[in-house]
Amino acid sequence: LPKLTKHSSSLSHCLQIQLIRLHDKIMFWCGGKQTDIVEANKEANAILQKSRKEEKGKIKLLLLGAGESGKSTIFKQMKILYNSKAITDDERRKFTDQVYQNTIQGIKSILRHVNRDQIGNAEAFELISEIPDTARIDMTIGAALLSLWNEAAVQEVFSRRAELQITESVKYFMTDMDRIMDINYLATATDHLYVRVRTTGVTTSNYDINGVRFEMYDVGGQRNERRKWIHCFEGVHAVIFVAALSEDDQALFEDHHTNRMVEALDLFQEVCSLRYFLDTSIILFLNKYDLFQEKVKTVPIKDCVVTTREDGDTVQKKLWEDYDGAPNDPIAARAYFKDKFLARNQLKKRLIYFHHTTATDTGNMKFVFEACKGIILDQNIDESGF
């Protein structure tokens, strides 16, 4: 019987189970009879050959990046662009509940930083503070949310969302509140792109694009999730590393003393150095470019600081002091960060392909992925058999 440990990481889950059951069957029933062992060995080899045939020609893509970078939004976009199955009403109802929850949680997270006496509509403040996060947004709740959203104190807190860990998507949902609070509302695919649900574990999806089979893996980006990545590394044809440009002045969700861009740069260097990826195409998505363009207009790159602890004291340190471009020029700023990432690639013979992306823009993502598809297929044409 072939060694299971040698092959199991590249097999599908169901085929792994078949091999394990076959192994158990041999151990229990063979009783040392050579003929039974030979027959079982043939069966195991047949399973392995079937797996290799299924895997041949499949292009495996691995989405990596730190938390909140937009990996899962790109994963959703792939389903919108290339999944032949239309979104069902049951799925839309599930998305609808997520929209309600994201919206209520977002406004509540803002209210935690607002004094009650700063709010003109005390009744709306009380209502939203007391309802569960999972409440359905009807006309009454929707009107209360809109009233609060229009309060000057709420807008002032939202303007500080980078430092307060408040999600950008709140603005999208509040702008469309008239539609969301309608009794007949069902979330659209675009609404689902703005929903934030933290990824845990590994999620896989398969696509057939112009006769080429793609398998994409999305993994949790928070630090405590990264230990699970190791199971996805073997046999990957391309890594798509996602970093959020707009998070150049934000701290990690799980560590308020570490800047998100610094974390992404360190993680990118680690990924580039892994032995699993020495011969693997790496594509860098500098994501959330739409938000970055708007942010740079009011928050110059050189004004970004990180709060750290030194000798028991809280101190603020400036980041990106070597930036020498125009203070509010998004094109110069994005080139600066692109160079920062490319400099972290220690394997100089490797080309890093990069794109500036807006993961919530379906047209942009279709254009980018079509370009990436050509790169991936060219790099793997011999192995893939195309």
Side-chain angles (χ1 to χ4, degrees), residues 10-255:
S10 62
L11 299 178
S12 67
H13 181 64
C14 63
L15 286 173
Q16 288 183 46
I17 291 173
Q18 288 181 51
L19 281 172
I20 291 168
R21 286 176 176 169
L22 180 57
H23 178 266
D24 292 343
K25 178 181 174 182
I26 294 169
M27 297 299 293
F28 187 79
W29 291 106
C30 281
K33 295 179 181 179
Q34 187 65 29
T35 53
D36 289 341
I37 294 175
V38 169
E39 287 303 314
N41 211 22
K42 287 180 180 178
E43 189 176 342
N45 279 321
I47 292 172
L48 289 171
Q49 288 173 9
K50 178 182 178 183
S51 173
R52 292 190 190 103
K53 186 176 180 180
E54 289 178 351
E55 293 297 304
K56 185 178 180 181
K58 182 187 290 183
I59 301 296
K60 295 182 180 179
L61 308 178
L62 179 58
L63 278 171
L64 295 181
E68 311 294 328
S69 59
K71 297 188 315 303
S72 295
T73 306
I74 291 168
F75 194 78
K76 294 175 191 175
Q77 283 283 22
M78 291 293 290
K79 289 187 175 181
I80 292 173
L81 289 168
Y82 300 112
N83 196 333
S84 59
K85 296 179 181 177
I87 297 175
T88 66
D89 283 349
D90 283 344
E91 288 176 312
R92 292 182 66 190
R93 279 187 279 272
K94 179 183 176 182
F95 300 160
T96 299
D97 291 339
Q98 292 172 342
V99 169
Y100 292 155
Q101 187 168 0
N102 270 210
T103 306
I104 293 170
Q105 286 176 337
I107 295 299
K108 282 185 175 182
S109 68
I110 294 174
L111 295 182
R112 283 194 287 272
H113 300 281
V114 175
N115 292 325
R116 191 171 305 200
D117 57 8
Q118 294 179 285
I119 300 296
N121 190 340
E123 186 177 340
F125 188 99
E126 294 293 337
L127 174 62
I128 300 305
S129 297
E130 292 175 2
I131 61 173
D133 293 352
T134 54
R136 178 185 175 277
I137 297 180
D138 56 15
M139 298 298 286
T140 301
I141 292 175
L145 289 168
L146 276 174
S147 176
L148 292 171
W149 179 249
N150 291 322
E151 295 273 358
V154 167
Q155 288 300 312
E156 191 279 328
V157 170
F158 185 70
S159 71
R160 294 161 47 215
R161 55 195 175 276
E163 65 179 278
L164 299 175
Q165 303 283 355
I166 296 168
T167 59
E168 292 277 355
S169 57
V170 176
K171 182 177 180 179
Y172 170 83
F173 295 131
M174 291 309 304
T175 302
D176 260 6
M177 183 49 62
D178 287 339
R179 178 173 61 89
I180 290 171
M181 66 183 181
D182 187 275
I183 193 170
N184 296 314
Y185 169 70
L186 267 182
T188 65
T190 301
D191 293 340
H192 187 226
L193 291 175
Y194 285 87
V195 166
R196 295 292 174 263
V197 179
R198 189 161 289 114
T199 304
T200 58
V202 181
T203 307
T204 309
S205 194
N206 292 275
Y207 312 98
D208 189 300
I209 306 173
N210 299 328
V212 181
R213 289 189 300 148
F214 286 83
E215 186 168 81
M216 180 173 276
Y217 301 85
D218 180 27
V219 297
Q222 273 73 30
R223 287 175 174 176
N224 65 326
E225 290 291 324
R226 292 177 198 166
R227 58 185 172 80
K228 303 171 186 176
W229 292 5
I230 195 74
H231 304 295
C232 305
F233 287 169
E234 191 170 345
V236 169
H237 295 90
V239 172
I240 298 176
F241 189 94
V242 186
L245 279 170
S246 63
E247 295 180 350
D248 58 311
D249 66 338
Q250 292 182 245
L252 289 180
F253 177 82
E254 62 267 42
D255 177 5

